Amino acid sequence: ATAGATVKVVRSTKDTEDRLSWQPELPLVADFAFDGPVVEVVPSEVDQEILGFGGAFTEAAATTFSKLTPQMQDIVIEQYFGASGLAYTLGRVPINSCDFSVDSYSFDDTPGDFELKDFDTNLGHDKKEIIPLIRRAIEKVESTVSDTHVRLGGKVAGKWESLKVFDGIQGPGTAALQSEGGRFLSTEAGGAVTANNLKSVASTFFTLKEVSGDSVALLGANGKHLVVSKDGSVKASGDEGSGTTFVRVKNADGTISLRVPEGQYLTAEPMERLRLLASPWSPPAWMKTNSVMDGSGTPCLKGEATASWAKYLAKWISSYTAAGVPIWALSVQNEPTNNAGWEACTLTPQEEADFLGTHLGPTLKKEHPEVSIFVFDDSKHMLPDYVSAAMQQPGTAQYVQGAAFHWYSGDLFDKVAWVHQQHPEVMLLASEATYERRMWKAGMLEPYSDWRFGEGYAHDIIGDLNAGAVGWIDWNLLLDDKGGPNHIGNVCDAAVVIDAKQQILNVHPQYYYIGHFSKFLVPGSRHVTTKVSAPKKYKPSQGPGPYGTCTGEGGLEATSALRPDGQTAVVVLNCADEDIDFKLLAGSSAVKASAPRRSITTYILPAAL
């Protein structure tokens, strides 16, 4: 350890007032002998990139939000999406109504309108409350971005891949490159290439060397060639002959895009943007065999409606994009195994693979190639079955970018890990978790503050990240003090519950527990292997029930990530009913630490361990 190096500490504890509170820094020292549990970070074992954390923009959340005064609304937006709050960068948006809607609705209720001539492209229903809330969140997230790391993106050149060229900025052959939002590409100390608001002219020029035809090599302000690594990161670190060759593509608006030979483009898209996952609960009633939105027949869709349903989803994405809400990803179907009492559409693994391969995949590739497609979006027990069906089907696997999953059938982290090992290219995303009324204390009829619910969230986040997940999305961002509105009475808890009459925000423990991850495992971080030794059993706390339960009997739980700034964030959870002293070990450096009973702590280790 570097002499005088320290570790930053943030903590939330049941027995004190600490809620995401900074603690005194701890000294980082050379490794030492310790008789007790060890939380070991293995800096050399780096895995999936973390995209972030977030919650769902349901109609229930939006309606509840609309009942707040403008000042209270500002507080909620900052608390969730601002730098001083949870810094959320993920969100989920239902397509059509779900149970957390005031009533069932769709955007085309004309029976037999397979051409979707009556589709409400103006999104009249969602423009009242849902879209304004999402727009506020998008603006807040985008206003917090400072520097963006330039990296390899997808095979489509959009606004973030477009660069305005200012030739001759530092003499012949040099140019300044300006990305979307007015940010200039810049070479940082150490060679990292970022897009930022002009720091110094000296770092923001590049030399473009013609290689042949439209191919160029790029040199940063440090005189080194730009090199694209396997993980997609870009650095000005190459010597003559060792840099990446780019194809200069001229765009219609006079900008250029830079493409590597494999087909992907350099992108200056901020990691800190709001990535929205859209999920359908039910097609319009007239497309379904049971002729209503609630519940599902077998099969769910009428045969003649399958192509129209794929077009409907693409049209919904187009309409949302036109309303200023771009969609990052689409799940094929929310909870395809669940024939629920609310909006539903069941699909077997084979039916989902067929619909994706035959209709949805080709339609979306044509209309919205920028949108990623996630399969499954249901409780973990069936995750491997749905992923396998899609990945083994010729013609379907090409459309699968990810798999989303929920927590209602229990931890089942082994199911997530299995998919990550079998299909490392598939993004794994925890897309829904909440505590339904059946999980509340006996006799509780309205949402209340339960410390165990925060612990259960953290337990699930740690298990999912360690199994390969790229992010974690909570269910409703906000609910009213009855745990709704929900049009069939399926009330739940939320991290923030609103008493609209008294204009009070009730912030529940889940909020603080999520914050220990979302504020510190920032987008673009890479998950790092973390091992926890537990030499004995500990005094357990009482968990709430069949899912989202952490008793601490097995000792500490932990996860870590290497951040883009080079620091390592380590989250340590203690659900046990006793304090646990432990050693935090990273490489050859260590910290003597203690986890108070029923606490969660984030440790931030300095760069270059």
Side-chain angles (χ1 to χ4, degrees):
T2 314
T6 57
V7 172
K8 298 189 181 79
V9 183
V10 189
R11 181 169 289 147
S12 301
T13 311
K14 183 175 191 280
D15 297 336
T16 70
E17 297 299 303
D18 283 336
R19 300 290 181 271
L20 286 168
S21 305
W22 290 99
Q23 308 294 310
E25 294 188 8
L26 295 173
L28 185 68
V29 297
D31 189 15
F32 52 87
F34 182 76
D35 181 20
V38 177
V39 174
E40 183 185 2
V41 181
V42 187
S44 59
E45 294 184 18
V46 179
D47 196 5
Q48 80 276 11
E49 185 174 79
I50 291 168
L51 295 179
F53 302 84
F57 295 93
T58 55
E59 184 175 25
T63 299
T64 304
F65 181 80
S66 72
K67 294 187 166 73
L68 292 170
T69 63
Q71 295 91 331
M72 293 295 277
Q73 289 185 353
D74 288 346
I75 289 168
V76 168
I77 293 294
E78 178 62 31
Q79 274 195 341
Y80 268 133
F81 303 98
S84 73
L86 297 192
Y88 271 2
T89 54
L90 293 177
R92 189 162 175 240
V93 187
I95 296 176
N96 300 339
S97 55
C98 66
D99 52 326
F100 279 94
S101 300
V102 178
D103 287 301
S104 294
Y105 69 91
S106 86
F107 295 99
D108 188 341
D109 291 324
T110 306
D113 181 22
F114 294 112
E115 296 300 309
L116 305 177
K117 291 187 173 130
D118 292 341
F119 185 101
D120 178 17
T121 52
N122 192 43
L123 304 168
H125 183 282
D126 287 8
K127 275 206 172 141
K128 291 187 203 115
E129 290 166 347
I130 298 172
I131 287 171
L133 171 59
I134 302 173
R135 291 278 318 143
R136 295 271 302 268
I138 289 170
E139 284 159 16
K140 174 60 77 173
V141 174
E142 289 184 352
S143 74
T144 64
V145 176
S146 49
D147 285 6
T148 291
H149 282 262
V150 174
R151 64 196 185 285
L152 212 53
K155 295 193 173 183
V156 180
K159 67 177 185 177
W160 298 107
E161 291 72 40
S162 300
L163 297 167
K164 209 181 270 183
V165 181
F166 296 88
D167 279 317
I169 200 95
Q170 289 276 1
T174 66
L177 302 171
Q178 188 181 35
S179 73
E180 172 73 18
R183 294 189 173 92
F184 282 88
L185 268 55
S186 171
T187 312
E188 305 286 323
V193 179
T194 62
N196 57 54
N197 295 325
L198 212 50
K199 282 186 178 168
S200 73
V201 176
S203 66
T204 53
F205 76 90
F206 291 82
T207 306
L208 281 73
K209 272 192 172 174
E210 309 289 333
V211 177
S212 62
D214 287 325
S215 296
V216 292
L218 251 73
L219 281 73
N222 60 2
K224 296 281 190 181
H225 285 250
L226 262 61
V227 178
V228 179
S229 303
K230 267 189 188 156
D231 65 2
S233 60
V234 179
K235 250 186 171 176
S237 61
D239 296 322
E240 191 71 44
S242 67
T244 301
T245 302
F246 299 92
V247 178
R248 182 170 34 185
V249 178
K250 293 184 173 128
N251 301 317
D253 61 0
T255 62
I256 66 162
S257 297
L258 294 166
R259 190 178 71 213
V260 297
E262 292 75 20
Q264 296 112 307
Y265 288 87
L266 280 195
T267 182
E269 185 170 35
M271 290 300 294
E272 300 93 337
R273 66 184 176 98
L274 192 61
R275 287 180 167 80
L276 295 170
L277 170 71
S279 305
W281 266 246
S282 170
W286 57 269
M287 290 191 186
K288 297 173 69 180
T289 57
N290 71 348
S291 303
V292 286
M293 287 186 74
D294 288 349
S296 178
T298 308
C300 162
L301 278 166
K302 293 176 180 168
E304 66 271 25
T306 47
S308 284
W309 176 228
K311 286 188 193 123
Y312 183 107
L313 294 170
K315 205 157 195 173
W316 183 94
I317 291 170
S318 300
S319 305
Y320 251 73
T321 305
V325 180
I327 300 300
W328 163 65
L330 169 75
S331 65
V332 181
Q333 170 63 43
N334 174 71
E335 298 191 347
T337 72
N338 185 13
N339 191 355
W342 52 88
E343 286 82 346
C345 186
T346 58
L347 295 166
T348 65
Q350 195 54 53
E351 285 172 335
E352 182 165 290
D354 288 344
F355 174 63
L356 175 55
T358 309
H359 298 290
L360 184 60
T363 301
L364 226 58
K365 189 173 186 179
K366 183 165 158 256
E367 305 275 334
H368 288 286
E370 78 286 358
V371 174
S372 298
I373 300 177
F374 282 68
V375 294
F376 194 49
D377 209 4
D378 202 342
S379 293
K380 296 175 210 174
H381 61 293
M382 293 284 285
L383 174 63
D385 307 71
Y386 279 75
V387 174
S388 297
M391 297 306 283
Q392 286 164 9
Q393 177 131 320
T396 298
Q398 62 177 315
Y399 300 117
V400 180
Q401 275 85 43
F405 52 88
H406 304 174
W407 80 339
Y408 305 103
S409 54
D411 290 349
L412 301 175
F413 304 129
D414 57 316
K415 304 284 187 188
V416 183
W418 183 88
V419 173
H420 188 51
Q421 282 149 13
Q422 297 294 315
H423 304 287
E425 74 282 11
V426 171
M427 281 187 284
L428 286 156
L429 178 62
S431 55
E432 189 183 308
T434 190
Y435 286 99
E436 303 155 288
R437 183 156 61 192
R438 67 188 173 101
M439 299 286 288
W440 302 356
K441 281 180 184 159
M444 298 302 284
L445 301 176
E446 295 182 356
Y448 64 101
S449 183
D450 191 324
W451 196 258
R452 303 172 306 166
F453 292 175
E455 292 172 324
Y457 268 34
H459 168 76
D460 195 66
I461 294 170
I462 288 169
D464 287 341
L465 292 178
N466 288 346
V470 299
W472 199 93
I473 305 177
D474 190 14
W475 190 209
N476 301 278
L477 282 163
L478 303 168
L479 289 174
D480 65 22
D481 51 9
K482 301 282 184 286
N486 183 296
H487 73 83
I488 58 117
N490 180 32
V491 296
C492 294
D493 193 20
V496 179
V497 171
I498 305 290
D499 178 343
K501 278 200 192 79
Q502 298 186 62
Q503 291 290 307
I504 293 170
L505 306 181
N506 294 302
V507 179
H508 287 179
Q510 296 96 300
Y511 175 90
Y512 302 106
Y513 271 82
I514 295 170
H516 275 274
F517 303 89
S518 63
K519 286 174 74 66
F520 307 107
L521 280 65
V522 298
S525 299
R526 307 293 294 251
H527 178 266
V528 179
T529 298
T530 314
K531 299 171 179 173
V532 182
S533 70
K536 62 168 197 149
K537 290 269 188 272
Y538 293 87
K539 185 182 173 190
S541 57
Q542 182 67 47
Y547 62 77
T549 281
C550 179
T551 67
E553 186 176 8
L556 302 174
E557 300 178 13
T559 194
S560 311
L562 175 64
R563 300 167 13 141
D565 63 10
Q567 298 183 94
T568 300
V570 186
V571 185
V572 178
L573 174 66
N574 181 12
C575 303
D577 237 338
E578 59 178 289
D579 298 351
I580 300 177
D581 293 332
F582 68 100
K583 175 170 78 173
L584 175 56
L585 176 64
S588 59
S589 303
V591 183
K592 191 171 189 311
S594 182
R597 67 183 281 274
R598 315 293 298 276
S599 72
I600 183 168
T601 312
T602 303
Y603 298 89
I604 300 164
L605 308 177
L609 278 173

